[in-house]
Amino acid sequence: MNEIMLWLVILIIAIVVELISLGLTTIWFAGGALVAAVAAAAGGPVWLQIILFIAVSVILLAFTRPIAVKYFNRERVRTNVESLVGRQAVVISEIDNLQGTGQVTVGGQEWSARSCEEGKILVPGTIVRVMAINGVKLIVSEDPKMREAMPKQASQSSEAELDPKNIEKNDEI
């Protein structure tokens, strides 16, 4: 009878912790404790109760957790800083990891930024994608879709700057 009580106490503790945390942390052990309590009530030996507890807990964890996580909190809206990951940003101050400098704008807000790639310097005007957040700094990488468009724009502007008509205009100013 003591074994049944022990498993029921473990069952109740696991359910209470689950109700408090609401994070799918101990519900799997509650299932294992329930099966072990049934085995104890049927007169099973202690070693069998322990094996059933562990086996059922692991099986529930392995097979039902991925399904539960998929459907649990699926309506959750990312807020604040979380919503920045994956968004495009514009470099407004040269990003140089070695110097520890760099800023981008995302959604009209300025953020300190660092490059994902060590040694890569990102110049102002570069379109980047926010890959992660480390403290108060955005970790960015040059947006591959925009990388193709940037050389065309850069070559057009450099050609325009080298045009003799524009040089004369600049000299007059």
Side-chain angles (χ1 to χ4, degrees), residues 10-11 14-15 18 23-35 52-70 72:
I10 293 172
L11 173 69
I15 290 173
E18 186 63 40
L24 296 174
T25 53
T26 60
I27 196 68
W28 329 110
F29 302 110
L34 179 64
V35 171
L52 285 173
F53 171 74
I54 293 170
V56 169
S57 297
V58 168
I59 289 170
L60 285 174
L61 184 65
F63 290 107
T64 61
R65 189 174 195 290
I67 296 167
V69 167
K70 182 178 178 182
F72 189 68

Side-chain angles (χ1 to χ4, degrees), residues 104-162:
V104 297
T105 57
V106 183
Q109 295 181 332
E110 293 182 12
W111 289 84
S112 293
R114 298 294 172 261
S115 175
C116 284
E117 304 168 41
E118 287 299 322
K120 179 157 180 118
I121 296 174
L122 300 171
V123 296
T126 305
I127 307 297
V128 293
R129 188 153 306 270
V130 178
M131 306 306 287
I133 300 167
N134 186 0
V136 296
K137 293 183 176 136
L138 302 182
I139 308 302
V140 299
S141 177
E142 190 172 2
D143 193 334
K145 294 177 186 172
M146 300 307 287
R147 189 179 304 153
E148 296 165 2
M150 291 303 287
K152 293 175 189 173
Q153 292 172 351
S155 66
Q156 289 171 354
S157 65
S158 62
E159 287 173 13
E161 290 171 1
L162 295 176

Side-chain angles (χ1 to χ4, degrees), residues 8-90:
L8 291 177
V9 167
I10 293 172
L11 173 69
I12 291 168
I13 290 171
I15 290 173
V16 168
V17 169
E18 186 63 40
L19 290 173
I20 291 171
S21 70
L22 294 174
L24 296 174
T25 53
T26 60
I27 196 68
W28 329 110
F29 302 110
L34 179 64
V35 171
V38 170
V46 174
W47 63 266
L48 178 63
Q49 296 169 30
I50 293 171
I51 289 175
L52 285 173
F53 171 74
I54 293 170
V56 169
S57 297
V58 168
I59 289 170
L60 285 174
L61 184 65
F63 290 107
T64 61
R65 189 174 195 290
I67 296 167
V69 167
K70 182 178 178 182
Y71 294 105
F72 189 68
N73 282 340
R74 69 179 176 173
E75 299 292 323
R76 183 173 165 256
V77 177
R78 294 189 327 169
T79 58
N80 301 332
V81 176
E82 289 179 327
S83 66
L84 296 176
V85 176
R87 289 185 59 187
Q88 283 185 331
V90 178

